[in-house]
Amino acid sequence: YYSSKITVGGKEYPTDEYTNLPPHIEACVGRNLHLSPNHPISITRRLIERRFPAPVYKAHNTLSPIVSVQQNFDSLGFPLDHPGRSRTDTYYINEKTVMRTHTSAHQADTFAAGESEGFTIAADVYRRDAIDRSHYPVFHQMEGARMWSRSEVPNGDIAAAVRADLEKLPKHDLVVEDSGPIFHEGNPLQKAHSAEECEAIAAHLKRSLEGVVVEVFGQAKKAAIAAGEAKEDDAPLRVRWIEAYFPFTTPSWELEVLWQGEWLELLGCGVVQQSIPDNAGTPDKVGWAFGVGLERVAMLLFGIPDIRLFWSKDERFLTQFAEGRITKFQSFSKYPPCYKDVAFWLPSSSSSAGGQVAFHENDMMETVRGVAGDLAEDVRLTDEFTHPKSGKKSMCFRINYRSLEKTLTNEETNALHEAVRTALKEKYAVELR
Ligand code: PHE
């Protein structure tokens, strides 16, 4: 399916058996929604950036999405068998080059550059994933980090310096449920850090991120009140810290916010694994990092019901938003859905071992995106079974075709569906049922 070279973001790269970046994904490179001032993703980015001001934090918002496997995975200590590395989850340009799957891909380089004590990185990230109203294969994240240098403090003990910086941060009116001890066996302290250092870094991290919640959800609440969706009250926001695991931080947490009666996972964070600054040539640096998804936040700030809308070029969407303002999205209409099923037998070679690549749900997603693009709203596996005698595997998927911009005619959806069927047959040699 690929010739010997592909062009991504205007540059040519050699292809190999790893290459799996389809044209409809490549087409998103350079859209830069996070840099379009009147776009909800950019407005959300700016809102969060306010909590990480210069000169302590330097904002890096134009880093290329094309990174090496070393940057995206190796530098962060991802084990070789980590599922995130697989071609079913990640877009490979070739064996050594991927579309970044997270903004953490730039941590090591940014530490190495050593331009500031802290940084934020907002960017588009790419993941092969499900198709539904909250998943899109290209989305945006913001990374943030704050480092302290052992070489700049007496005895190389940064605990006092971190605590002094913590005192400078504003305290927030927030109800916080903590996760228990800062570190323990299951969420361990690193050998390179003293208990006091880790506790101080964690306290600075948590206070900083609670500030993000106050900033973002304070605005969300104002917008909801203005739209008549919520009543004015002075109940403080509620957040909770949940222990988490990332290969590149320990201890690690996720931060959740109680929003309209539901706990919402907002971000991942933790104390940076010392091997990262060590390998980046800045072993005297110690600190924290976090990563937050921007779409999730923007959907709730602006009341945007479908993630595809962010990519819309429709004036009825784009003209609704203005820099620095949180306003509720006015839906321009909801067009009718059209559900269609496709069922097929997988070729026997792909259900058994034997070196063949098995058919993955994400291959279905990619096929539908390739044919229908943003006209596919939702794709679900509705049935799956293995024939007891032949051992052959059957799958059935339900696709919901719906445009955000118009009513699709029967002819149009039939043609799309027929094209999906043909693509499945040609690419994966499935036997349609
Ligand atoms: N990169 C992580 C993700 O995409 C988030 C993260 C960033 C976690 C930095 C810890 C520190 O899920």
Side-chain angles (χ1 to χ4, degrees), residues 121-273:
I121 299 168
D124 41 330
V125 299
Y126 299 74
R127 290 187 200 173
R128 294 182 99 219
D129 209 337
I131 298 184
D132 63 37
R133 264 168 289 194
S134 59
H135 289 90
Y136 200 83
V138 189
F139 58 102
H140 297 78
Q141 283 187 332
M142 186 179 332
E143 193 88 357
R146 174 77 163 92
M147 303 299 279
W148 289 268
S149 292
R150 292 193 187 283
S151 57
E152 285 167 17
V153 294
N155 307 321
D157 177 356
I158 56 135
V162 179
R163 281 197 293 263
D165 284 329
L166 173 65
E167 287 313 309
K168 293 182 220 151
L169 293 177
K171 294 209 173 83
H172 307 107
D173 181 20
L174 204 69
V175 179
V176 182
E177 249 177 70
D178 229 313
S179 56
I182 294 296
F183 54 82
H184 58 90
E185 212 184 328
N187 203 14
L189 172 72
Q190 297 179 44
K191 283 204 188 69
H193 305 152
S194 72
E196 289 75 38
E197 285 176 332
C198 178
E199 275 158 7
I201 294 168
H204 191 279
L205 164 65
K206 290 183 173 183
R207 179 88 62 84
S208 303
L209 294 176
E210 286 161 12
V212 170
V213 172
V214 168
E215 186 79 50
V216 169
F217 288 81
Q219 296 281 345
K221 199 163 163 181
K222 272 195 225 152
I225 292 166
E229 289 166 11
K231 280 205 275 307
E232 198 136 9
D233 62 32
D234 43 19
L237 288 158
R238 284 181 60 186
V239 298
R240 64 182 187 195
W241 290 99
I242 309 280
E243 290 185 5
Y245 173 80
F246 302 102
F248 38 95
T249 51
T250 185
S252 309
W253 299 274
E254 275 161 6
L255 178 55
E256 298 190 343
V257 191
L258 189 65
W259 182 248
Q260 300 181 338
E262 270 184 74
W263 286 104
L264 208 116
E265 184 193 314
L266 192 63
L267 55 84
C269 63
V271 178
V272 173
Q273 281 287 1

Side-chain angles (χ1 to χ4, degrees), residues 8 28 56 78 94 108 111 162 186 208 227 236 247 268 271 289 306 314 338 353:
V8 188
C28 295
V56 172
F78 275 75
N94 55 45
F111 292 145
V162 179
S208 303
V271 178
D306 188 311
D314 192 313
C338 178

Side-chain angles (χ1 to χ4, degrees), residues 4-228:
S4 67
K5 293 218 164 73
I6 62 172
T7 305
V8 188
K11 271 176 85 175
E12 268 196 349
Y13 296 84
T15 60
D16 57 27
E17 72 279 8
Y18 276 73
T19 310
N20 68 352
L21 180 70
H24 64 275
I25 299 297
E26 194 280 325
C28 295
V29 175
R31 280 288 296 279
N32 288 331
L33 305 183
H34 65 296
L35 300 178
S36 313
N38 299 328
H39 194 282
I41 296 295
S42 171
I43 301 171
T44 305
R45 164 185 67 83
R46 304 269 318 249
L47 191 61
I48 302 175
E49 278 175 354
R50 273 166 56 170
R51 287 283 163 170
F52 303 102
V56 172
Y57 294 89
K58 182 170 167 63
H60 302 265
N61 292 334
T62 55
L63 297 171
S64 166
I66 300 154
V67 299
S68 62
V69 168
Q70 151 71 25
Q71 289 171 302
N72 199 81
F73 296 118
D74 302 343
S75 75
L76 294 163
F78 275 75
L80 284 173
D81 61 356
H82 192 283
R85 290 181 182 258
S86 76
R87 277 174 287 165
T88 56
D89 290 29
T90 295
Y91 291 112
Y92 279 82
I93 293 175
N94 55 45
E95 185 178 1
K96 297 241 153 54
T97 318
V98 294
M99 302 304 293
R100 72 182 149 219
T101 63
H102 54 176
T103 43
S104 303
H106 302 290
Q107 267 192 24
D109 295 342
T110 315
F111 292 145
E115 298 166 318
S116 56
E117 296 165 272
F119 57 80
T120 58
I121 299 168
D124 41 330
V125 299
Y126 299 74
R127 290 187 200 173
R128 294 182 99 219
D129 209 337
I131 298 184
D132 63 37
R133 264 168 289 194
S134 59
H135 289 90
Y136 200 83
V138 189
F139 58 102
H140 297 78
Q141 283 187 332
M142 186 179 332
E143 193 88 357
R146 174 77 163 92
M147 303 299 279
W148 289 268
S149 292
R150 292 193 187 283
S151 57
E152 285 167 17
V153 294
N155 307 321
D157 177 356
I158 56 135
V162 179
R163 281 197 293 263
D165 284 329
L166 173 65
E167 287 313 309
K168 293 182 220 151
L169 293 177
K171 294 209 173 83
H172 307 107
D173 181 20
L174 204 69
V175 179
V176 182
E177 249 177 70
D178 229 313
S179 56
I182 294 296
F183 54 82
H184 58 90
E185 212 184 328
N187 203 14
L189 172 72
Q190 297 179 44
K191 283 204 188 69
H193 305 152
S194 72
E196 289 75 38
E197 285 176 332
C198 178
E199 275 158 7
I201 294 168
H204 191 279
L205 164 65
K206 290 183 173 183
R207 179 88 62 84
S208 303
L209 294 176
E210 286 161 12
V212 170
V213 172
V214 168
E215 186 79 50
V216 169
F217 288 81
Q219 296 281 345
K221 199 163 163 181
K222 272 195 225 152
I225 292 166

Side-chain angles (χ1 to χ4, degrees), residues 210-419:
E210 286 161 12
V212 170
V213 172
V214 168
E215 186 79 50
V216 169
F217 288 81
Q219 296 281 345
K221 199 163 163 181
K222 272 195 225 152
I225 292 166
E229 289 166 11
K231 280 205 275 307
E232 198 136 9
D233 62 32
D234 43 19
L237 288 158
R238 284 181 60 186
V239 298
R240 64 182 187 195
W241 290 99
I242 309 280
E243 290 185 5
Y245 173 80
F246 302 102
F248 38 95
T249 51
T250 185
S252 309
W253 299 274
E254 275 161 6
L255 178 55
E256 298 190 343
V257 191
L258 189 65
W259 182 248
Q260 300 181 338
E262 270 184 74
W263 286 104
L264 208 116
E265 184 193 314
L266 192 63
L267 55 84
C269 63
V271 178
V272 173
Q273 281 287 1
Q274 205 52 43
S275 56
I276 301 167
D278 284 358
N279 295 337
T282 54
D284 69 317
K285 289 194 178 170
V286 182
W288 55 250
F290 75 87
V292 57
L294 297 180
E295 269 77 359
R296 156 88 63 93
V297 174
M299 285 175 91
L300 144 181
L301 274 174
F302 295 89
I304 293 172
D306 188 311
I307 196 164
R308 291 174 294 167
L309 281 161
F310 292 118
W311 298 92
S312 174
K313 294 175 180 169
D314 192 313
E315 288 300 310
R316 290 172 296 176
F317 179 77
L318 293 172
T319 55
Q320 288 193 27
F321 310 100
E323 194 166 358
R325 281 202 282 138
I326 313 292
T327 46
K328 285 286 162 186
F329 168 64
Q330 305 294 320
S331 119
F332 31 90
S333 160
K334 195 133 170 111
Y335 301 95
C338 178
Y339 293 93
K340 287 196 183 287
D341 290 343
V342 56
F344 48 82
W345 295 107
L346 294 181
S348 31
S349 57
S350 72
S351 13
S352 59
Q356 275 278 351
V357 183
F359 185 82
H360 188 282
E361 266 189 66
N362 283 344
D363 295 326
M364 179 67 191
M365 303 299 165
E366 205 61 66
T367 306
V368 177
R369 287 275 190 214
V371 169
D374 288 359
L375 299 177
E377 176 169 300
D378 191 283
V379 178
R380 266 187 313 137
L381 179 65
T382 49
D383 192 35
E384 184 179 25
F385 71 92
T386 305
H387 193 279
K389 287 224 181 83
S390 69
K392 271 183 144 185
K393 189 169 157 189
S394 158
M395 294 177 113
C396 181
F397 287 90
R398 176 158 298 171
I399 307 172
N400 177 13
Y401 297 98
R402 171 167 27 206
S403 163
L404 291 163
E405 280 138 23
K406 59 177 193 155
T407 298
L408 295 175
T409 64
N410 277 336
E411 290 71 39
E412 283 170 318
T413 40
N414 285 339
L416 286 171
H417 198 61
E418 215 30 66

